[in-house]
Amino acid sequence: MKRLWLNFLCVAAIVSSSAAFSWSDSDHDGVPDLKDACPDTRSGALVDAAGCEKPAEFEDICLNTTEGGTYPSNCSEISELALNFEFAKAEVQFFQWKTLARLKQFLQRHDVNLCLLGYTDSIGTLELNQNLSTHRASAVKNILVEDYGFIPSRFIVKGLASESPIASNDQSEGRASNRRVEFVVDLNK
């Protein structure tokens, strides 16, 4: 009986060790090594069921940096990437989530921190516009953290009120363009 028990333990150890080995994931992409067609996937890459990196859904984004350059450094042209808001509102409209999806992909590819810069048009008091611009940037941060799962410390929220308009505040089209949140890569962290 003792010998039978010992044989059982040996067989169980061999079976469990091979099962444990087959489920190891040395490149940490979520696909077991036994089934991983691309065993050296870079860290943080999006992979398919075979463990190979998925092609990008969107073109890569080129953003300004806090140092005045571009990120990534090989960019030749800054991407047009901003979220616009309705008058006196801080809610991100549904049709702009495609822009957020592009930003999500950028953040998954690049381990960088972002400044979320909120702006308003020139209508209203400075205090009201300061609060509104901060709320707009915070609303974007909340989506990136709560819906997309990024850690909050990757984002700095700044409300800049009606500073730095990109269009004239004399006409409604220009004011609509100025009500925005822009994204800048923070190289100081």
Side-chain angles (χ1 to χ4, degrees), residues 154-173:
R154 286 187 74 178
F155 308 103
I156 298 168
V157 170
K158 291 185 180 180
L160 300 172
S162 57
E163 286 181 33
S164 304
I166 57 173
S168 171
N169 278 303
D170 294 335
Q171 297 175 345
S172 62
E173 296 84 17

PDB file of all heavy atoms in Angstrom, residues 154-173:
ATOM      1  N   ARG A 154      -0.446  58.742 -14.434  1.00  0.00           N
ATOM      2  CA  ARG A 154       0.075  59.006 -15.780  1.00  0.00           C
ATOM      3  C   ARG A 154      -0.442  60.321 -16.356  1.00  0.00           C
ATOM      4  O   ARG A 154      -0.003  60.736 -17.422  1.00  0.00           O
ATOM      5  CB  ARG A 154      -0.301  57.872 -16.734  1.00  0.00           C
ATOM      6  CG  ARG A 154       0.506  56.609 -16.498  1.00  0.00           C
ATOM      7  CD  ARG A 154       0.249  55.580 -17.543  1.00  0.00           C
ATOM      8  NE  ARG A 154       0.875  55.916 -18.823  1.00  0.00           N
ATOM      9  CZ  ARG A 154       0.805  55.126 -19.891  1.00  0.00           C
ATOM     10  NH1 ARG A 154       0.152  53.991 -19.839  1.00  0.00           N
ATOM     11  NH2 ARG A 154       1.384  55.491 -21.020  1.00  0.00           N
ATOM     12  N   PHE A 155      -1.376  60.970 -15.641  1.00  0.00           N
ATOM     13  CA  PHE A 155      -2.031  62.152 -16.198  1.00  0.00           C
ATOM     14  C   PHE A 155      -1.939  63.350 -15.261  1.00  0.00           C
ATOM     15  O   PHE A 155      -2.136  63.226 -14.060  1.00  0.00           O
ATOM     16  CB  PHE A 155      -3.499  61.846 -16.490  1.00  0.00           C
ATOM     17  CG  PHE A 155      -3.668  60.612 -17.327  1.00  0.00           C
ATOM     18  CD1 PHE A 155      -4.079  59.422 -16.754  1.00  0.00           C
ATOM     19  CD2 PHE A 155      -3.375  60.626 -18.679  1.00  0.00           C
ATOM     20  CE1 PHE A 155      -4.213  58.272 -17.511  1.00  0.00           C
ATOM     21  CE2 PHE A 155      -3.501  59.489 -19.450  1.00  0.00           C
ATOM     22  CZ  PHE A 155      -3.926  58.305 -18.860  1.00  0.00           C
ATOM     23  N   ILE A 156      -1.642  64.495 -15.850  1.00  0.00           N
ATOM     24  CA  ILE A 156      -1.664  65.768 -15.138  1.00  0.00           C
ATOM     25  C   ILE A 156      -2.771  66.590 -15.768  1.00  0.00           C
ATOM     26  O   ILE A 156      -2.824  66.743 -16.992  1.00  0.00           O
ATOM     27  CB  ILE A 156      -0.313  66.504 -15.276  1.00  0.00           C
ATOM     28  CG1 ILE A 156       0.801  65.685 -14.658  1.00  0.00           C
ATOM     29  CG2 ILE A 156      -0.396  67.896 -14.667  1.00  0.00           C
ATOM     30  CD1 ILE A 156       2.185  66.194 -14.998  1.00  0.00           C
ATOM     31  N   VAL A 157      -3.668  67.089 -14.934  1.00  0.00           N
ATOM     32  CA  VAL A 157      -4.803  67.878 -15.413  1.00  0.00           C
ATOM     33  C   VAL A 157      -4.505  69.350 -15.203  1.00  0.00           C
ATOM     34  O   VAL A 157      -4.129  69.763 -14.104  1.00  0.00           O
ATOM     35  CB  VAL A 157      -6.084  67.472 -14.637  1.00  0.00           C
ATOM     36  CG1 VAL A 157      -7.214  68.425 -14.925  1.00  0.00           C
ATOM     37  CG2 VAL A 157      -6.465  66.043 -14.963  1.00  0.00           C
ATOM     38  N   LYS A 158      -4.671  70.138 -16.279  1.00  0.00           N
ATOM     39  CA  LYS A 158      -4.472  71.583 -16.175  1.00  0.00           C
ATOM     40  C   LYS A 158      -5.624  72.289 -16.880  1.00  0.00           C
ATOM     41  O   LYS A 158      -5.929  71.984 -18.028  1.00  0.00           O
ATOM     42  CB  LYS A 158      -3.152  72.015 -16.820  1.00  0.00           C
ATOM     43  CG  LYS A 158      -1.928  71.560 -16.065  1.00  0.00           C
ATOM     44  CD  LYS A 158      -0.674  72.109 -16.689  1.00  0.00           C
ATOM     45  CE  LYS A 158       0.552  71.645 -15.906  1.00  0.00           C
ATOM     46  NZ  LYS A 158       1.790  72.153 -16.486  1.00  0.00           N
ATOM     47  N   GLY A 159      -6.225  73.213 -16.166  1.00  0.00           N
ATOM     48  CA  GLY A 159      -7.241  74.060 -16.768  1.00  0.00           C
ATOM     49  C   GLY A 159      -6.620  75.396 -17.128  1.00  0.00           C
ATOM     50  O   GLY A 159      -6.064  76.069 -16.266  1.00  0.00           O
ATOM     51  N   LEU A 160      -6.693  75.755 -18.400  1.00  0.00           N
ATOM     52  CA  LEU A 160      -6.044  76.978 -18.863  1.00  0.00           C
ATOM     53  C   LEU A 160      -7.050  78.032 -19.333  1.00  0.00           C
ATOM     54  O   LEU A 160      -6.658  79.005 -19.992  1.00  0.00           O
ATOM     55  CB  LEU A 160      -5.038  76.649 -19.968  1.00  0.00           C
ATOM     56  CG  LEU A 160      -3.916  75.698 -19.524  1.00  0.00           C
ATOM     57  CD1 LEU A 160      -3.081  75.258 -20.702  1.00  0.00           C
ATOM     58  CD2 LEU A 160      -3.037  76.354 -18.472  1.00  0.00           C
ATOM     59  N   ALA A 161      -8.308  77.824 -19.007  1.00  0.00           N
ATOM     60  CA  ALA A 161      -9.371  78.785 -19.319  1.00  0.00           C
ATOM     61  C   ALA A 161      -9.325  79.181 -20.789  1.00  0.00           C
ATOM     62  O   ALA A 161      -9.271  78.326 -21.659  1.00  0.00           O
ATOM     63  CB  ALA A 161      -9.310  79.982 -18.383  1.00  0.00           C
ATOM     64  N   SER A 162      -9.331  80.483 -21.064  1.00  0.00           N
ATOM     65  CA  SER A 162      -9.377  80.946 -22.458  1.00  0.00           C
ATOM     66  C   SER A 162      -7.995  81.333 -22.987  1.00  0.00           C
ATOM     67  O   SER A 162      -7.886  81.977 -24.029  1.00  0.00           O
ATOM     68  CB  SER A 162     -10.347  82.112 -22.595  1.00  0.00           C
ATOM     69  OG  SER A 162      -9.975  83.166 -21.734  1.00  0.00           O
ATOM     70  N   GLU A 163      -6.926  80.915 -22.290  1.00  0.00           N
ATOM     71  CA  GLU A 163      -5.566  81.155 -22.780  1.00  0.00           C
ATOM     72  C   GLU A 163      -5.356  80.380 -24.085  1.00  0.00           C
ATOM     73  O   GLU A 163      -5.946  79.339 -24.306  1.00  0.00           O
ATOM     74  CB  GLU A 163      -4.527  80.613 -21.784  1.00  0.00           C
ATOM     75  CG  GLU A 163      -4.342  81.394 -20.539  1.00  0.00           C
ATOM     76  CD  GLU A 163      -3.258  80.764 -19.657  1.00  0.00           C
ATOM     77  OE1 GLU A 163      -2.293  80.176 -20.185  1.00  0.00           O
ATOM     78  OE2 GLU A 163      -3.401  80.861 -18.435  1.00  0.00           O
ATOM     79  N   SER A 164      -4.497  80.859 -24.907  1.00  0.00           N
ATOM     80  CA  SER A 164      -4.064  80.172 -26.127  1.00  0.00           C
ATOM     81  C   SER A 164      -5.204  79.736 -27.041  1.00  0.00           C
ATOM     82  O   SER A 164      -5.318  78.564 -27.398  1.00  0.00           O
ATOM     83  CB  SER A 164      -3.222  78.943 -25.763  1.00  0.00           C
ATOM     84  OG  SER A 164      -2.141  79.299 -24.967  1.00  0.00           O
ATOM     85  N   PRO A 165      -6.039  80.655 -27.466  1.00  0.00           N
ATOM     86  CA  PRO A 165      -7.079  80.260 -28.424  1.00  0.00           C
ATOM     87  C   PRO A 165      -6.444  79.834 -29.750  1.00  0.00           C
ATOM     88  O   PRO A 165      -5.407  80.362 -30.148  1.00  0.00           O
ATOM     89  CB  PRO A 165      -7.908  81.529 -28.590  1.00  0.00           C
ATOM     90  CG  PRO A 165      -7.030  82.642 -28.177  1.00  0.00           C
ATOM     91  CD  PRO A 165      -6.077  82.079 -27.163  1.00  0.00           C
ATOM     92  N   ILE A 166      -7.075  78.866 -30.392  1.00  0.00           N
ATOM     93  CA  ILE A 166      -6.566  78.413 -31.692  1.00  0.00           C
ATOM     94  C   ILE A 166      -7.371  79.029 -32.837  1.00  0.00           C
ATOM     95  O   ILE A 166      -7.059  78.815 -33.998  1.00  0.00           O
ATOM     96  CB  ILE A 166      -6.563  76.876 -31.800  1.00  0.00           C
ATOM     97  CG1 ILE A 166      -7.955  76.299 -31.570  1.00  0.00           C
ATOM     98  CG2 ILE A 166      -5.557  76.290 -30.831  1.00  0.00           C
ATOM     99  CD1 ILE A 166      -8.060  74.806 -31.839  1.00  0.00           C
ATOM    100  N   ALA A 167      -8.436  79.742 -32.478  1.00  0.00           N
ATOM    101  CA  ALA A 167      -9.274  80.423 -33.467  1.00  0.00           C
ATOM    102  C   ALA A 167      -9.830  81.690 -32.827  1.00  0.00           C
ATOM    103  O   ALA A 167      -9.754  81.877 -31.610  1.00  0.00           O
ATOM    104  CB  ALA A 167     -10.396  79.506 -33.924  1.00  0.00           C
ATOM    105  N   SER A 168     -10.407  82.539 -33.643  1.00  0.00           N
ATOM    106  CA  SER A 168     -10.975  83.797 -33.143  1.00  0.00           C
ATOM    107  C   SER A 168     -12.220  83.530 -32.294  1.00  0.00           C
ATOM    108  O   SER A 168     -13.062  82.713 -32.661  1.00  0.00           O
ATOM    109  CB  SER A 168     -11.348  84.698 -34.320  1.00  0.00           C
ATOM    110  OG  SER A 168     -12.073  85.810 -33.857  1.00  0.00           O
ATOM    111  N   ASN A 169     -12.311  84.212 -31.176  1.00  0.00           N
ATOM    112  CA  ASN A 169     -13.493  84.109 -30.327  1.00  0.00           C
ATOM    113  C   ASN A 169     -14.606  85.060 -30.783  1.00  0.00           C
ATOM    114  O   ASN A 169     -15.634  85.149 -30.132  1.00  0.00           O
ATOM    115  CB  ASN A 169     -13.117  84.398 -28.866  1.00  0.00           C
ATOM    116  CG  ASN A 169     -12.529  83.179 -28.189  1.00  0.00           C
ATOM    117  OD1 ASN A 169     -13.137  82.133 -28.130  1.00  0.00           O
ATOM    118  ND2 ASN A 169     -11.303  83.327 -27.705  1.00  0.00           N
ATOM    119  N   ASP A 170     -14.412  85.739 -31.898  1.00  0.00           N
ATOM    120  CA  ASP A 170     -15.411  86.680 -32.396  1.00  0.00           C
ATOM    121  C   ASP A 170     -16.582  85.982 -33.078  1.00  0.00           C
ATOM    122  O   ASP A 170     -17.647  86.574 -33.230  1.00  0.00           O
ATOM    123  CB  ASP A 170     -14.770  87.663 -33.378  1.00  0.00           C
ATOM    124  CG  ASP A 170     -13.751  88.574 -32.698  1.00  0.00           C
ATOM    125  OD1 ASP A 170     -13.870  88.787 -31.468  1.00  0.00           O
ATOM    126  OD2 ASP A 170     -12.836  89.046 -33.396  1.00  0.00           O
ATOM    127  N   GLN A 171     -16.388  84.737 -33.520  1.00  0.00           N
ATOM    128  CA  GLN A 171     -17.454  84.010 -34.211  1.00  0.00           C
ATOM    129  C   GLN A 171     -17.684  82.658 -33.541  1.00  0.00           C
ATOM    130  O   GLN A 171     -16.782  82.101 -32.910  1.00  0.00           O
ATOM    131  CB  GLN A 171     -17.088  83.831 -35.680  1.00  0.00           C
ATOM    132  CG  GLN A 171     -16.961  85.155 -36.408  1.00  0.00           C
ATOM    133  CD  GLN A 171     -16.485  84.973 -37.839  1.00  0.00           C
ATOM    134  OE1 GLN A 171     -15.989  83.929 -38.222  1.00  0.00           O
ATOM    135  NE2 GLN A 171     -16.650  86.033 -38.626  1.00  0.00           N
ATOM    136  N   SER A 172     -18.884  82.106 -33.715  1.00  0.00           N
ATOM    137  CA  SER A 172     -19.266  80.869 -33.029  1.00  0.00           C
ATOM    138  C   SER A 172     -18.377  79.688 -33.430  1.00  0.00           C
ATOM    139  O   SER A 172     -18.060  78.839 -32.595  1.00  0.00           O
ATOM    140  CB  SER A 172     -20.733  80.538 -33.276  1.00  0.00           C
ATOM    141  OG  SER A 172     -20.974  80.325 -34.652  1.00  0.00           O
ATOM    142  N   GLU A 173     -17.961  79.611 -34.705  1.00  0.00           N
ATOM    143  CA  GLU A 173     -17.103  78.508 -35.143  1.00  0.00           C
ATOM    144  C   GLU A 173     -15.755  78.545 -34.425  1.00  0.00           C
ATOM    145  O   GLU A 173     -15.216  77.518 -34.029  1.00  0.00           O
ATOM    146  CB  GLU A 173     -16.872  78.546 -36.664  1.00  0.00           C
ATOM    147  CG  GLU A 173     -18.118  78.353 -37.492  1.00  0.00           C
ATOM    148  CD  GLU A 173     -18.907  79.649 -37.688  1.00  0.00           C
ATOM    149  OE1 GLU A 173     -18.354  80.756 -37.470  1.00  0.00           O
ATOM    150  OE2 GLU A 173     -20.090  79.544 -38.037  1.00  0.00           O
TER     151      GLU A 173
END
